[in-house]
Amino acid sequence: AQRVTQPEKLLSVFKGAPVELKCNYSYSGSPELFWYVQYSRQRLQLLLRHISRESIKGFTADLNKGETSFHLKKPFAQEEDSAMYYCALSGSTLGRLYFGRGTQLTVWP
Amino acid sequence: DAGVIQSPRHEVTEMGQEVTLRCKLISGHNSLFWYRQTMMRGLELLIYFNNNVPIDDSGMPEDRFSAKMPNASFSTLKIQPSEPRDSAVYFCASSLGQNQPQHFGDGTRLSIL
């Protein structure tokens, strides 16, 4: 069955440190992966999707089909990156997006 | 485009009252999703529609919850009667297709006293 796993519920780093938010998925078909970000008391916003292969706000994510992962990375975290991050999975046979449980990132000054 | 529009932004009411949450989709979008977000359970999908037809309502917690799409651009989520454990932020999202990126509204922060 399809599943998205974000193993870290909470993640804290200091400003300027590298950050990696982990996401693993389970899906038998060809996946499409997304990262959403939710700043405090705001809506979820699409941060990036793997097919775009772009960097948004310094974040990148590479789909690794061998490891079934789509980890989100940023080399130098900023305080304004503090937010909840959700990984989401889609696929032609799924009918909808499946979200992970989210990782709350805190970047300390 | 104004994006997905939800109303009200905040609702505080007493238990037992009927609550109606509203959502206007982005023009041209044909899939509509209702989510509930709480600290304990995180983001939960309640129900979703495609072309005005409910596809999966298995996330709807109880019969007290109902959702409709009276037309292609508008949806309501109703709770009757409401209970304190229904307190949460309710998000609506729409997309161009079921598997496409979803665009979220600002949510309705619901408090049932």
Side-chain angles (χ1 to χ4, degrees):
Chain A
Q2 61 285 337
R3 182 184 300 165
V4 178
T5 303
Q6 294 180 249
E8 302 137 330
K9 196 171 182 180
L10 302 170
L11 182 63
S12 294
V13 299
F14 284 102
K15 175 183 173 181
V19 63
E20 181 180 58
L21 293 91
K22 291 184 168 51
C23 173
N24 289 90
Y25 67 91
S26 173
Y27 176 48
S28 57
S30 182
E32 185 169 354
L33 277 297
F34 306 84
W35 276 101
Y36 280 79
V37 61
Q38 184 182 27
Y39 300 103
S40 180
R41 301 174 78 86
Q42 294 187 25
R43 68 174 69 186
L44 277 76
Q45 305 171 47
L46 180 64
L47 182 60
L48 50 80
R49 56 193 299 187
H50 89 269
I51 62 171
S52 300
R53 301 189 67 81
E54 56 189 347
S55 173
I56 304 293
K57 299 184 179 183
F59 285 98
T60 59
D62 291 316
L63 178 61
N64 186 323
K65 291 188 177 181
E67 295 183 358
T68 60
S69 68
F70 188 58
H71 303 327
L72 184 68
K73 301 177 184 179
K74 185 168 183 175
F76 307 103
Q78 303 299 314
E79 290 177 67
E80 55 265 31
D81 296 329
S82 296
M84 178 71 87
Y85 291 81
Y86 289 95
C87 182
L89 165 72
S90 177
S92 58
T93 64
L94 291 181
R96 64 173 178 91
L97 265 63
Y98 285 80
F99 284 86
R101 293 184 66 85
T103 297
Q104 179 67 49
L105 173 66
T106 301
V107 181
W108 300 104
Chain B
D1 197 322
V4 174
I5 300 173
Q6 291 188 245
S7 64
R9 290 294 309 276
H10 303 274
E11 175 92 15
V12 180
T13 192
E14 293 184 344
M15 66 177 292
Q17 297 297 307
E18 178 179 291
V19 173
T20 299
L21 311 181
R22 297 174 176 79
C23 175
K24 184 175 185 299
L25 287 67
I26 291 174
S27 178
H29 282 194
N30 61 355
S31 295
L32 181 282
F33 305 81
W34 280 103
Y35 292 89
R36 178 171 68 177
Q37 186 178 45
T38 61
M39 290 289 288
M40 292 295 293
R41 294 174 172 267
L43 190 68
E44 302 174 275
L45 177 66
L46 300 177
I47 184 171
Y48 73 97
F49 296 79
N50 194 46
N51 294 321
N52 301 5
V53 176
I55 304 299
D56 184 353
D57 66 354
S58 60
M60 296 285 261
E62 301 170 31
D63 291 344
R64 299 184 294 106
F65 285 69
S66 62
K68 294 182 180 178
M69 277 199 77
N71 58 58
S73 60
F74 184 73
S75 177
T76 59
L77 177 67
K78 192 170 290 188
I79 308 173
Q80 166 64 19
S82 58
E83 297 183 5
R85 60 194 167 119
D86 302 330
S87 298
V89 181
Y90 290 81
F91 286 103
C92 168
S94 72
S95 64
L96 271 171
Q98 290 173 238
N99 295 321
Q100 295 303 307
Q102 295 175 15
H103 299 258
F104 284 75
D106 288 327
T108 295
R109 190 168 295 273
L110 178 65
S111 296
I112 308 297
L113 306 177

